[in-house]
């Protein structure tokens, strides 16, 4: 009985391969379009996964940086921050180590701070004015040093370099150079430089919570700046949403396209083999007997075109890595990864489903029209 | 075995068959005759449920065909062999494969196929040409392959629709003899033809359908 069923299945395979051979040109055409569709699907998925991973890591490392006002007492502020719900940890940096920690993030920061201070000293402006002048120039690069996302000088405010008490335009500046200027070339009083970095618990990382905390801290006495990458984050979330929606639309379109291709390919087979199918029906073949090889044929085409698309994408991915684009991206803390088995299986399932649906629709219509 | 009761069949409000009634007993050899367009082929098609009657009932083995579900129709056709005027062989399959097709669609494979196909090809004297393709056979040989395919499943009834229509007289006689041999073994035969000359062979019952 089992042997008989095996022979039955083997017969289906034989007929399916015979169909493929006799419709080679149509099958090749369908194969190339389907491969292209699956390639686009896989590429989109790869793109989305990497963007998503990047954004996720960005969220995980989310933090706020608080710069003190000169001479303010920090102990109360630290205790206050510790009591805020959702704060995972905080680090207090002061004096030279504070600058060093920023230097680790942006090695060029010390040189830039010195240049700015020197420029201010040479201009002969008052300490307060020099502070403001230097700060304005410095607003771009220190920003980069703080959180790896660097706003340009004009974008400093947009990117979240927000001052707690913005009275005039000149005061919108980081106090990274916390200056009492000494009048020396170096121009930086390292001993008075300090900031607090707050890390939040993962489950508290949402727009509302962060905005609320930002406002609380901004209004706190002794706080000069609160650096919060809110706008950048919001943009990123919007972008991620856009990618997801567009990806789903393109996925749906490609799925329908693949289904339509199968539909057309199998319909061609049916039309071409109309006489043969009629004979089979006359000698007692069931619809299942006639349709099973068609399903196998499209399934075979779908799997093959999916494998071709996957191999092509993998080759491109490796070429990309080979030319060290990954190192380039790593500089920006972007790590490119390939699709995992689950993601590959998702697109594979779509390939299989579209082949089955396409075949079902084309053969159903035919068998319905020629129903006994 | 077969019973047509008050069968009407119309296409586009034009009746092809009007009040057709006949019965066929097991093992009979029946000629169905009449002029072209009288409805001979339609009568045979009704019997294998390729067409449905407009009115009336057809019984095969005490089962009314109108009550058959679509999925039961293939199984009915496996019990009724059908031979066509234009042979209807698959050109891309050999003689052996064409005949084996009848068994394969019924889910029979392996050694059973080899035995049954070999036996039937020997019976129609075409075993020697088992590996030939239909295009390399004469009309008479192709028709005998078609008969072999129709009979390989040992059907209870063989329907032959003008099987000698495309053949010369000598070849026609060979084909008719082949069919008669199977009839002698117990297969009921309904043989549609408009060739009056064939009707004089033997003492077969004749159903004459006149054009309406």
């Amino acid at each position: 009985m089992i042997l008989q069923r095996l022979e039955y299945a083997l017969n289906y395979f034989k007929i399916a391969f015979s169909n493929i051979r006799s419709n080679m040109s149509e099958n090749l055409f369908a194969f190339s379009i389907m491969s292209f569709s699956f390639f686009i699907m896989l590429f989109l998925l790869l793109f989305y996964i990497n963007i998503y991973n990047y954004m996720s890591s960005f969220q995980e490392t989310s933090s706020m940086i608080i710069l003190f006002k000169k001479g303010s007492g920090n102990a109360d502020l630290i205790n206050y921050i510790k009591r805020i719900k959702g704060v995972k940890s905080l680090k207090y940096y002061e004096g030279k180590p504070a600058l060093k920690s920023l230097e680790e993030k942006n090695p060029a920061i010390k040189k830039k701070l010195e240049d700015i201070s020197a420029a201010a000293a040479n201009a002969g402006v008052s300490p307060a004015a020099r502070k403001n002048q230097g700060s304005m120039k410095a607003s771009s690069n220190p920003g980069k040093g703080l959180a790896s996302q660097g706003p340009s000088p004009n974008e400093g405010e947009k990117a979240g370099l927000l001052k707690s008490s913005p009275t005039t335009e000149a005061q919108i500046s980081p106090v990274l150079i916390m200056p009492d200027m000494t009048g020396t070339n170096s121009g930086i009083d390292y001993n008075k430089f300090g900031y607090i970095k707050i890390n939040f618990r993962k489950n508290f990382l949402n727009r509302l919570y962060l905005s609320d905390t930002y406002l609380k801290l901004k209004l706190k006495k002794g706080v000069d700046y609160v650096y919060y990458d809110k706008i950048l984050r919001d943009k990123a979330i919007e972008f991620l949403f856009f990618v997801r929606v567009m990806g789903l639309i393109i996925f749906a379109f490609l799925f329908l396209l693949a289904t339509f291709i199968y539909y057309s390919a199998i319909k061609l087979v049916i039309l071409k083999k109309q006489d043969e199918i009629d004979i089979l029906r006359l000698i007692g073949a069931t619809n299942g007997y006639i349709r099973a090889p068609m399903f196998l044929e499209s399934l075979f085409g779908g799997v093959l075109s999916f494998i071709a698309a996957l191999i092509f994408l993998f080759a491109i991915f490796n070429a990309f890595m080979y030319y060290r684009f990954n190192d380039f991206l790593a500089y920006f803390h972007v790590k490119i990864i390939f699709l995992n088995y689950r993601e590959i299986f998702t697109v594979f399932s779509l390939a299989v489903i579209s082949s089955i649906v396409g075949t079902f629709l084309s053969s159903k219509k035919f068998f319905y029209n020629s129903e006994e | 075995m077969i019973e047509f009761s008050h069968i009407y069949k119309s296409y586009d409000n034009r009746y092809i068959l009007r009040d057709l009634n006949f019965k066929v007993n097991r093992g009979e050899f029946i000629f169905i005759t009449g002029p072209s367009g009288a409805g001979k082929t339609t009568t045979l098609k009704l019997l294998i449920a390729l067409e449905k009657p407009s009115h009336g009932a057809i019984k095969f083995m005490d089962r009314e065909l109108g009550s058959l579900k679509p999925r039961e129709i293939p199984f009915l056709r496996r019990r009724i062999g059908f031979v066509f005027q234009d042979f209807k062989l698959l050109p891309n399959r050999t003689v052996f494969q064409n005949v084996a097709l009848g068994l394969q669609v019924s889910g029979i494979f392996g050694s059973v196929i080899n035995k049954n196909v070999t036996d039937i090809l020997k019976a129609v004297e075409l075993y020697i040409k088992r590996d030939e393709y239909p295009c390399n056979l004469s009309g008479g040989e192709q028709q005998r392959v078609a008969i072999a395919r129709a009979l390989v499943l040992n059907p209870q009834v063989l329907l032959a629709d003008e099987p000698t229509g495309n053949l010369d007289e000598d070849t026609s006689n060979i084909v008719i003899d082949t069919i008669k041999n199977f009839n002698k073994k117990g297969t009921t035969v309904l043989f549609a033809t408009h060739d009056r000359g064939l009707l004089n062979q033997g003492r077969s019952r004749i159903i004459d359908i006149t054009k309406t």
Side-chain angles (χ1 to χ4, degrees), chain A residues 42-51 313 317 337-339:
Chain A
L42 288 165
F43 180 79
L44 274 176
L45 194 61
L46 183 69
F47 180 72
Y48 178 76
I49 295 296
N50 279 286
I51 290 279
L313 183 72
F317 179 81
I337 55 164
F338 196 67
L339 301 170

Side-chain angles (χ1 to χ4, degrees), chain A residues 1 11 25 49 79 86 89 100 111 120 131 154 169 178 186 194 237 243 253 263 268 296 308 332 346:
Chain A
M1 189 66 180
N11 187 54
S25 55
I49 295 296
N79 285 332
S89 63
K100 271 193 175 178
K111 174 85 171 59
K131 168 187 167 182
N154 293 330
E169 187 66 23
M178 279 304 281
S186 69
I237 290 169
V243 169
F253 173 75
Y263 173 84
L268 274 176
L296 282 175
F332 298 100
T346 303

Side-chain angles (χ1 to χ4, degrees), chain A residues 4 7-9 11 15 18 273 275-277 279-287 289 371-372, chain B residues 48-50 52 70 73-74 77-78 84 88-90 92-93 101-102 104-105 107 109-110 149:
Chain A
Q4 192 179 347
E7 284 195 70
Y8 214 74
N11 187 54
I15 298 170
S18 161
K273 293 190 170 276
D275 290 343
E276 185 174 332
I277 292 168
I279 293 169
L280 286 170
R281 291 159 69 87
L282 283 171
I283 62 175
T286 57
N287 284 349
Y289 181 89
E371 193 55 78
E372 294 84 356
Chain B
I48 55 167
L50 206 60
K52 284 179 180 172
I73 291 170
R77 290 176 184 164
R78 290 175 197 174
F84 307 89
K88 292 205 186 296
L89 299 176
L90 299 181
N92 56 348
R93 300 194 189 202
L101 201 61
Q104 285 171 350
V105 297
F109 292 95
R149 186 183 63 191

Side-chain angles (χ1 to χ4, degrees), chain A residues 157-339:
Chain A
E157 197 173 2
K158 282 184 200 169
L161 276 170
L162 302 169
K163 188 160 167 51
S164 59
S165 52
T167 52
T168 65
E169 187 66 23
Q171 283 175 317
I172 301 172
S173 55
V175 217
L176 288 174
I177 16 183
M178 279 304 281
D180 275 331
M181 295 292 186
T182 58
T184 61
N185 277 342
S186 69
I188 304 170
D189 184 354
Y190 295 121
N191 293 324
K192 290 182 178 174
F193 179 74
Y195 70 91
I196 294 174
K197 185 180 177 188
I198 310 170
N199 292 311
F200 295 99
R201 292 183 197 284
K202 214 172 170 180
N203 52 336
F204 279 83
L205 288 173
N206 60 63
R207 282 192 207 190
L208 195 66
Y209 171 79
L210 289 172
S211 300
D212 186 49
T213 310
Y214 162 75
L215 287 171
K216 274 184 195 167
L217 291 171
K218 198 176 106 173
L219 297 171
K220 196 74 186 159
K221 192 180 173 187
V223 171
D224 197 352
Y225 290 97
V226 178
Y227 178 85
Y228 163 41
D229 48 2
K230 177 180 176 297
I231 294 173
L232 200 64
R233 171 193 298 280
D234 289 352
K235 290 278 178 202
I237 290 169
E238 279 170 21
F239 179 67
L240 203 60
F241 180 73
F242 175 76
V243 169
R244 187 183 292 176
V245 170
M246 285 306 292
L248 281 174
I249 291 170
I250 296 171
F251 249 65
F253 173 75
L254 292 173
F255 176 79
L256 290 176
L257 179 71
T259 306
F260 177 73
I261 292 165
Y262 286 119
Y263 173 84
S264 307
I266 295 301
K267 202 168 181 186
L268 274 176
V269 170
I270 290 171
L271 290 173
K272 208 169 175 179
K273 293 190 170 276
Q274 181 93 51
D275 290 343
E276 185 174 332
I277 292 168
D278 285 346
I279 293 169
L280 286 170
R281 291 159 69 87
L282 283 171
I283 62 175
T286 57
N287 284 349
Y289 181 89
I290 298 167
R291 288 166 89 178
M294 293 172 189
F295 278 104
L296 282 175
E297 183 183 343
S298 56
L299 206 60
F300 187 68
V303 170
L304 264 191
S305 46
F306 170 79
I307 290 171
L310 185 64
I311 289 172
F312 190 53
L313 183 72
F314 191 69
I316 288 177
F317 179 81
N318 278 300
F320 185 78
M321 291 301 168
Y322 179 77
Y323 287 108
R324 296 182 181 279
F325 282 110
N326 205 30
D327 292 349
F328 172 73
L329 291 168
Y331 182 77
F332 298 100
H333 305 283
V334 178
K335 194 185 174 200
I336 302 289
I337 55 164
F338 196 67
L339 301 170

